[in-house]
Amino acid sequence: MEWATPRSRRAPEILDRLEQTGAEVVCLTETHCDLLAGQGYGICGQEDYGYPITQGRRKVMLWSRKPWQEVEDVGSVGLPPGRYVSGVTHTSVGAVRVVGICIPWSGCRTESRRGAERKRRWEDHERYLSLLSGVLAAMEASRLVVMGDFNQVIGPGCRAPLRLRSALAEAFPPGVGIVTPDLEFQGRKSIDHIAVSDDLAVEAVGTISNLHGDRKLSDHYGVFADLAARA
């Protein structure tokens, strides 16, 4: 959401677009924890995400029409901070465990910051994937949805080193797969993705425009998946 706040000029249109989707669960990245306040139930990653903290900003947020249970915002000790949140919520297909992620981009924390260790290019990205693998492996791979900013194009056009393309694929346990690898909008392939467990059938996937007249609502466009329970 490119840090849209509840009072920003973009907020009304963003909220209207989200409402038009009819989504039961939403994942927002680079957002404000109060952007969807009063319209459902939100849970957020931790405030500290490795950069100077700005009040209300969160790297990842999950929103649901129903309350959340079993909320957890650490994932694993050592996981690059503030980029993980998970919980269980009730949907039309029953109770679903949802994991919201914001995998660090290639240049994450590579600039000098007072009191912070400087990272190598792709270092945080690689560490995140290596630890996410263990986090997801420990979960029951049923009624599971993982979504957010993966910071990788899937397939042709991916600029990540080959080892990290493999690491992304291997981060998901057997029975959980990315269902949005081919989505693109105006010739630009998505780095935001949704992965689901095999017991959820994917009825449709698509994109949500980030354009509003001659302005962009965000530097990312949206992606969606319509899911159903397999018989």
Side-chain angles (χ1 to χ4, degrees), residues 78-140:
L79 197 71
R83 298 168 180 270
Y84 175 95
V85 65
S86 70
V88 175
T89 189
H90 191 80
T91 71
S92 57
V93 300
V96 177
R97 176 173 293 280
V98 187
V99 179
I101 63 176
C102 184
I103 301 173
W105 73 296
S106 60
C108 181
R109 298 197 289 182
T110 55
E111 299 178 358
S112 296
R113 301 282 180 178
R114 181 177 297 178
E117 179 184 356
R118 187 173 180 178
K119 304 295 182 180
R120 300 185 307 276
R121 187 168 176 81
W122 292 107
E123 181 178 352
D124 267 351
H125 187 99
E126 186 165 21
R127 182 169 183 79
Y128 193 103
L129 290 176
S130 68
L131 293 173
L132 179 65
S133 176
V135 172
L136 297 180
M139 294 180 177
E140 184 179 351

Side-chain angles (χ1 to χ4, degrees), residues 13-21 209-212 217:
E13 182 64 25
I14 289 172
L15 296 178
D16 184 59
R17 298 248 177 129
L18 291 174
E19 183 62 29
Q20 287 180 32
T21 68
S209 173
N210 61 336
L211 303 179
H212 182 49
L217 298 171

Side-chain angles (χ1 to χ4, degrees), residues 51-70:
Y51 290 95
I53 295 172
T54 301
Q55 186 67 32
R57 283 188 172 189
R58 295 294 188 276
K59 270 292 183 180
V60 63
M61 172 185 178
L62 290 174
W63 174 92
S64 173
R65 295 185 183 275
K66 302 292 185 180
W68 292 96
Q69 299 175 323
E70 301 179 35

Side-chain angles (χ1 to χ4, degrees), residues 11-224:
E13 182 64 25
I14 289 172
L15 296 178
D16 184 59
R17 298 248 177 129
L18 291 174
E19 183 62 29
Q20 287 180 32
T21 68
E24 296 180 79
V25 180
V26 173
C27 179
L28 300 180
T29 58
E30 293 193 345
T31 189
H32 193 283
C33 58
D34 292 330
L35 183 61
L36 299 178
Q39 301 194 36
Y41 302 87
I43 56 175
C44 294
Q46 294 181 352
E47 183 179 25
D48 180 8
Y49 56 93
Y51 290 95
I53 295 172
T54 301
Q55 186 67 32
R57 283 188 172 189
R58 295 294 188 276
K59 270 292 183 180
V60 63
M61 172 185 178
L62 290 174
W63 174 92
S64 173
R65 295 185 183 275
K66 302 292 185 180
W68 292 96
Q69 299 175 323
E70 301 179 35
V71 177
E72 205 270 308
D73 65 1
V74 175
S76 174
V77 175
L79 197 71
R83 298 168 180 270
Y84 175 95
V85 65
S86 70
V88 175
T89 189
H90 191 80
T91 71
S92 57
V93 300
V96 177
R97 176 173 293 280
V98 187
V99 179
I101 63 176
C102 184
I103 301 173
W105 73 296
S106 60
C108 181
R109 298 197 289 182
T110 55
E111 299 178 358
S112 296
R113 301 282 180 178
R114 181 177 297 178
E117 179 184 356
R118 187 173 180 178
K119 304 295 182 180
R120 300 185 307 276
R121 187 168 176 81
W122 292 107
E123 181 178 352
D124 267 351
H125 187 99
E126 186 165 21
R127 182 169 183 79
Y128 193 103
L129 290 176
S130 68
L131 293 173
L132 179 65
S133 176
V135 172
L136 297 180
M139 294 180 177
E140 184 179 351
S142 62
R143 299 286 174 90
L144 176 64
V145 177
V146 183
M147 56 184 175
D149 186 351
F150 288 21
N151 261 309
Q152 280 196 42
V153 163
I154 308 298
C158 182
R159 298 181 180 179
L162 184 58
R163 73 180 190 282
L164 298 183
R165 301 180 211 178
S166 298
L168 177 59
E170 294 166 1
F172 298 95
V176 179
I178 298 172
V179 300
T180 52
D182 301 319
L183 290 182
E184 62 177 69
F185 179 71
Q186 293 195 325
R188 177 184 169 197
K189 291 193 71 174
S190 183
I191 61 173
D192 300 291
H193 294 288
I194 302 169
V196 304
S197 54
D198 288 346
D199 55 351
L200 295 172
V202 181
E203 298 190 327
V205 296
T207 62
I208 303 169
S209 173
N210 61 336
L211 303 179
H212 182 49
D214 59 355
R215 296 186 296 124
K216 285 187 176 181
L217 298 171
S218 170
D219 56 344
H220 290 215
Y221 57 88
V223 301
F224 71 85

